[in-house]
Amino acid sequence: QSALTQPRSVSGSPGQSVTISCTGTSSDVGGYDYVSWYQQHPGKAPKLMIFDVSKRPSGVPDRFSGSKSGNTASLTVSGLQAEDEADYYCCSYAGTYTWVFGGGTTLTVL
Amino acid sequence: EVQLLESGGGLVQPGGSLRLSCAASEFTFSNYAMSWVRQAPGKGLEWVSSISYSGGSTYYADSVKGRFTISRDNSKNTLYLQVNSLRAEDTAVYFCAKGGRVLGSGSYYGANWGQGTLVTVSS
């Protein structure tokens, strides 16, 4: 169960869009449509932002969107706001109800 | 609103044991698979273990298999993680997470998360 690969950091100005990539293998990201994304502010619990690749839980702004192509999933945050500054983790189902996370990406709003 | 409250963490010597608990409320606990995820200080998230809604099926990360045991008591709305033979690398905040699907044999993602309990393994 090797971790998924995410960029260490991304940044953007308020109002801009940023995309965070998440690369795995055919045994996880590429093999299932069960990629989820979590937002974590310092000292806080993770919060589900996207599940099943592209679905948003109720209450999550539609500025957050997810997609997948092959072994790479992506999270796009549009119309960046100051409160979007946080760590973001991707996670993929890896078979037999096991999960694998990415290493995390720090989003900085300039 | 879903509530998950972890407890049971603390300072333990290498080789020691702890039992972590996660008290659930404001949802039908017995209908959902549950999971434990940990985060070492300054590090990323790591999936640890999951359990089906009934408790009949359990799943573990290779890093904890044979040392950790997940269980649940649906009559008490509580999830547990028994952690044995602790190592320094088990030092982390341990989060419990509710699955996203009713009557799931396991979880595909964590829909709701508790605030976590800190386990520190040190002599």
Side-chain angles (χ1 to χ4, degrees):
Chain A
Q1 295 168 338
S2 298
L4 308 177
T5 300
Q6 297 181 233
R8 291 290 297 270
S9 64
V10 298
S11 63
S13 299
Q16 290 187 331
S17 295
V18 295
T19 297
I20 301 172
S21 62
C22 170
T23 301
T25 69
S26 58
S27 296
D28 37 65
V29 175
Y32 309 94
D33 288 334
Y34 296 128
V35 176
S36 51
W37 290 89
Y38 303 88
Q39 177 191 66
Q40 187 180 35
H41 288 106
K44 300 296 186 181
K47 175 186 176 183
L48 179 67
M49 304 302 284
I50 296 287
F51 67 99
D52 293 356
V53 176
S54 60
K55 298 177 182 176
R56 272 189 315 276
S58 60
V60 172
D62 60 7
R63 302 184 294 102
F64 292 84
S65 62
S67 62
K68 190 188 86 166
S69 178
N71 295 337
T72 299
S74 299
L75 173 72
T76 298
V77 186
S78 305
L80 272 176
Q81 299 182 5
E83 59 262 35
D84 299 333
E85 185 162 293
D87 291 329
Y88 291 83
Y89 293 90
C90 64
C91 180
S92 176
Y93 179 73
T96 322
Y97 297 110
T98 64
W99 304 354
V100 59
F101 282 94
T105 299
T106 298
L107 169 59
T108 301
V109 181
L110 301 172
Chain B
E1 182 182 347
V2 170
Q3 300 286 334
L4 297 168
L5 183 62
E6 301 93 336
S7 62
L11 175 63
V12 61
Q13 293 186 338
S17 298
L18 284 173
R19 188 175 82 157
L20 310 183
S21 299
C22 170
S25 60
E26 304 306 322
F27 69 100
T28 306
F29 179 73
S30 58
N31 280 357
Y32 290 89
M34 299 290 295
S35 301
W36 288 97
V37 174
R38 69 184 180 183
Q39 185 171 35
K43 302 297 184 181
L45 300 173
E46 179 188 13
W47 174 77
V48 173
S49 181
S50 295
I51 188 167
S52 63
Y53 70 96
S54 66
S57 297
T58 57
Y59 315 92
Y60 298 94
D62 290 343
S63 58
V64 306
K65 201 171 294 183
R67 300 187 300 122
F68 291 11
T69 302
I70 191 172
S71 62
R72 63 191 298 160
D73 186 335
N74 285 345
S75 68
K76 295 183 177 179
N77 291 343
T78 303
L79 173 72
Y80 302 102
L81 186 68
Q82 178 69 39
V83 296
N84 298 331
S85 304
L86 283 163
R87 308 165 180 167
E89 54 265 36
D90 295 318
T91 294
V93 174
Y94 286 72
F95 298 100
C96 66
K98 169 185 166 289
R101 288 176 170 76
V102 175
L103 303 181
S105 296
S107 297
Y108 295 100
Y109 58 90
N112 305 87
W113 297 61
Q115 289 301 308
T117 187
L118 176 62
V119 172
T120 302
V121 184
S122 175
S123 55

